[in-house]
Amino acid sequence: MRPLLHPALTCVWRDATTVQIGTTPDRALVIGGLGPIEAAVLRALDGHNTLPTLRDLATAAGGDPQIADRIVDMLVSAGAAVDGEYVTADSNGLPAESTPDRASLGLVDRSTDGGHATFTRRGRKRVEVIGAGRIGATVARLLAAGGIGDVGVDDEALVDAADVAPGGHPAAHVGLPRGRSLGSILPRRPRRGSPSEAQPDFVVLAPTKAAEHQAVATSLLHADVPHLLVHVVEIAGLVGPLVVPGSSACLRCLDLHRTDRDRDWPTVLDRIARTSPRTPPCDTSLATTVAGLAAGHVLAFLDGYDVASINGTITVELPYGLPRRKSWRPHPECDCGGADAAQ
Ligand SMILES: [Zn+2]
């Protein structure tokens, strides 16, 4: 190991004996009472020196060689130092544009490889986006930028002017099938593992018409494929639920809860599915906000985290933009198995 002060954190000396690494409450580490030997070791954590070299440095400065071990152990366990052998500028062939993403991931998982292994694992994942209007197209591009190795898009409707967005379809693609439009933009990375026609690891449902996702959601549930709903309705952007089949609330669970509160809900839902406003509203900033939120939840879920859209929906509403989370429990009358798992 060649210890390196975490390159994604700022290191500042508060005074001659106190150092602060990181800024935000969750990541900042303040170490006080440092003498000249400890300070020399800290300043030598540049990713080039090995632990034996650091011990020699502590000894040469007149101290105990174990000082180097204690400092490195403390910094590594706090997520404030990484192994410089992994965290290099070219990062073992990963794309240079993903460097900030990997730096961020390294802070999240506090790994000594600076997020390298987790980001590499994303490259082996296959995510399908069903519905590629303004929101779905942006989600697909964000997932690819986040390192997902195989992002498929299932939507053969033609790109129209209303689908064009800064993070989605470019204006020059109006008239192309939506899937083909994105296929020419999304990076293609060789993905090791199962062939691309195999079941995806995850599906994002980004319907461009009300309720068009329901049949697909049911088949995903039965196929045991985790999935997430993201859409904009009027001036509300909604992310969730993220459905983990058999262990969390599914889309039908939510409709059963709504029916408990409003017995006419199934009728309303059925009629909404048959009609749509003449000019469906979809604010670009709101669409981009929920697309970003959705992509972040998918990436974190695939990294192994229990994200806030599991058993929940997050709503962002114009014009104030304060995200609100609503909790949902699996419905006892739903046959998805979520209620059994929750007991
Ligand atoms: Zn259910």
Side-chain angles (χ1 to χ4, degrees):
M1 183 182 189
R2 297 177 184 274
L4 168 68
L5 277 180
H6 206 302
L9 296 174
T10 306
C11 176
V12 294
W13 288 85
R14 287 174 168 244
D15 56 42
T17 62
T18 309
V19 72
Q20 177 170 337
I21 303 163
T23 310
T24 55
D26 270 359
R27 288 295 177 271
L29 175 70
V30 177
I31 311 169
L34 295 170
I37 301 165
E38 289 90 349
V41 171
L42 259 172
R43 289 195 167 97
L45 301 180
D46 59 4
H48 295 291
N49 297 311
T50 62
L51 204 48
T53 307
L54 295 168
R55 290 183 193 125
D56 291 345
L57 193 149
T59 306
D64 181 343
Q66 297 306 311
I67 288 175
D69 294 80
R70 285 200 294 273
I71 289 178
V72 169
D73 285 349
M74 177 177 61
L75 293 174
V76 166
S77 65
V82 294
D83 187 347
E85 290 186 28
Y86 285 97
V87 187
T88 56
D90 60 359
S91 273
N92 306 317
L94 292 172
E97 63 268 26
S98 70
T99 302
D101 299 84
R102 280 178 277 131
S104 173
L105 201 46
L107 292 180
V108 171
D109 69 10
R110 299 177 190 263
S111 58
T112 53
D113 69 0
H116 180 83
T118 307
F119 194 86
T120 303
R121 269 199 302 278
R122 288 182 179 178
R124 301 189 197 108
K125 301 289 186 186
R126 176 168 178 241
V127 179
E128 184 96 1
V129 179
I130 300 179
R134 188 171 271 195
I135 299 167
T138 305
V139 172
R141 294 186 66 179
L142 289 172
L143 290 172
I148 299 299
D150 186 353
V151 179
V153 175
D154 184 352
D155 192 338
E156 288 311 304
L158 302 183
V159 176
D160 70 24
D163 295 330
V164 173
H169 297 283
H173 286 191
V174 170
L176 287 179
R178 287 169 172 165
R180 187 137 62 89
S181 162
L182 290 168
S184 64
I185 300 171
L186 295 172
R188 287 280 154 207
R189 296 198 190 104
R191 188 178 66 94
R192 280 165 290 181
S194 51
S196 62
E197 58 271 15
Q199 189 161 281
D201 297 291
F202 198 95
V203 168
V204 177
L205 300 170
T208 53
K209 290 178 187 156
E212 71 175 353
H213 56 281
Q214 287 177 328
V216 179
T218 302
S219 65
L220 292 171
L221 196 64
H222 292 144
D224 204 24
V225 176
H227 48 283
L228 171 70
L229 177 64
V230 52
H231 56 158
V232 166
V233 181
E234 295 159 4
I235 56 170
L238 297 108
V239 178
L242 190 158
V243 180
V244 186
S247 65
S248 74
C250 74
L251 297 180
R252 183 164 177 263
C253 285
L254 270 61
D255 281 327
L256 288 170
H257 282 300
R258 290 177 180 125
T259 305
D260 288 344
R261 292 194 292 267
D262 175 2
R263 63 180 185 170
D264 291 334
W265 175 248
T267 305
V268 173
L269 191 63
D270 180 60
R271 292 181 181 166
I272 286 173
R274 296 161 194 266
T275 185
S276 57
R278 194 175 298 171
T279 306
C282 188
D283 178 89
T284 308
S285 296
L286 183 62
T288 307
T289 299
V290 291
L293 204 52
H297 282 216
V298 175
L299 292 169
F301 174 76
L302 292 174
D303 290 342
Y305 297 97
D306 285 337
V307 294
S309 52
I310 296 175
N311 289 322
T313 47
I314 293 141
T315 303
V316 184
E317 212 165 271
L318 297 177
Y320 301 107
L322 176 67
R324 287 179 289 116
R325 181 182 185 275
K326 179 176 172 54
S327 288
W328 297 89
R329 294 177 62 80
H331 196 284
E333 288 169 26
C334 186
D335 59 4
C336 68
D340 298 334
Q343 285 173 356

